[in-house]
Amino acid sequence: MPIGPTLVVALTGLTLAGAVVLRLSGLGRARAVLGAAGRATIQLGAVSLIIVAVLRAWWSTAAFILLMYVVASVTAGRRIGPAVPRRVAALAIAVGVVPSLAVLLASRALPATPLVVLPTAGILIGGAMTAASLAGRRTLDELRTRHGEYEAGLALGLLPRDAALEICRPAAGQALIPALDQTRTVGLVTLPGAFVGVLLGGAGPLQAGATQLLILITLLAVEAVAIALAVELLVRHQARIQP
């Protein structure tokens, strides 16, 4: 991809188009699109400059993965809600990602090299972050808008946790839909980055397909765990603060 004025014009035009559509349609804040695009530009520029140095040693790779985890936890925590303990998002992401990544390394399905582990960890952390955020927001929304049904469950003799789960489980489970759709349509609708990257790296189509399948299946497991734990922690937290 040529880097020059043409790329700058294209990126600027697309960013402004997204912002204008949100503003005119009333679907969101145009400033959010501008801010996200600006942050992405700065962050990717910085990462592009330091990534080679990060990948030279395991300690720097581990430090960068930890930074990604912290940022993901803070971002998901803010999305879920300011009144929710930060540990909810942090635990949901960690319990989803760490065991799955450990299994990939222990089974040698994933080569234990910084060049492979770093981007894989980033993909898994990003998936867990999105899943925990969506599940958390849906859980709190359901408990807020269907509080009468929650109280009805308590009146029927259900424990606070069980009454809350009966209400929020179906909606929170929808947070896995993007990952499910991506897995179901891979190769037919999209050619994900891992597949294309392995091909560009010189591997054959079967190797690229196997790599992408490994990432997608692992993502499903990571996001399922993150969603389940986020819902469980939020329900327990809400049950404790309910009058």
Side-chain angles (χ1 to χ4, degrees), residues 12-238:
T12 302
L14 290 170
T15 301
L16 292 176
V20 169
V21 168
L22 281 184
R23 179 65 180 273
L24 296 179
S25 62
L27 295 175
R29 296 179 301 169
R31 186 169 52 187
V33 174
L34 299 176
R39 285 187 60 174
T41 301
I42 295 171
Q43 290 164 189
L44 284 175
V47 169
S48 300
L49 295 175
I50 67 172
I51 194 66
V52 175
V54 167
L55 292 172
R56 287 176 181 170
W58 268 112
W59 70 267
S60 55
T61 300
F64 198 83
I65 292 174
L66 179 60
L67 174 63
M68 290 192 293
Y69 166 70
V70 171
V71 173
S73 299
V74 172
T75 301
R78 288 176 177 173
R79 289 295 184 190
I80 293 173
V84 176
R86 297 302 183 197
R87 66 177 181 273
V88 171
L91 284 173
I93 294 172
V95 175
V97 172
V98 173
S100 299
L101 191 59
V103 168
L104 293 180
L105 293 173
S107 64
R108 298 186 180 180
L110 191 72
T113 63
L115 184 61
V116 174
V117 173
L118 180 61
T120 303
I123 292 172
L124 299 183
I125 291 172
M129 175 189 70
T130 302
S133 298
L134 290 175
R137 288 179 67 90
R138 287 182 178 273
T139 296
L140 294 183
D141 287 344
E142 289 293 289
L143 292 176
R144 187 181 304 113
T145 59
R146 300 171 63 185
H147 187 70
E149 295 177 49
Y150 170 77
E151 292 184 335
L154 295 179
L156 291 173
L158 293 177
L159 295 174
R161 171 185 174 274
D162 297 332
L165 286 176
E166 285 294 325
I167 293 172
C168 66
R169 267 177 179 159
Q174 294 178 12
L176 194 60
I177 289 178
L180 288 172
D181 287 345
Q182 183 183 25
T183 304
R184 288 169 177 158
T185 62
V186 64
L188 298 176
V189 178
T190 61
L191 293 176
F195 179 85
V196 177
V198 172
L199 278 180
L200 293 177
L206 289 179
Q207 183 66 39
T211 301
Q212 185 61 63
L213 182 62
L214 179 67
I215 296 297
L216 288 174
I217 299 301
T218 306
L219 261 178
L220 283 178
V222 167
E223 294 191 24
V225 172
I227 290 169
L229 186 55
V231 171
E232 182 68 29
L233 292 174
L234 282 172
V235 164
R236 289 177 180 270
H237 172 70
Q238 291 299 108

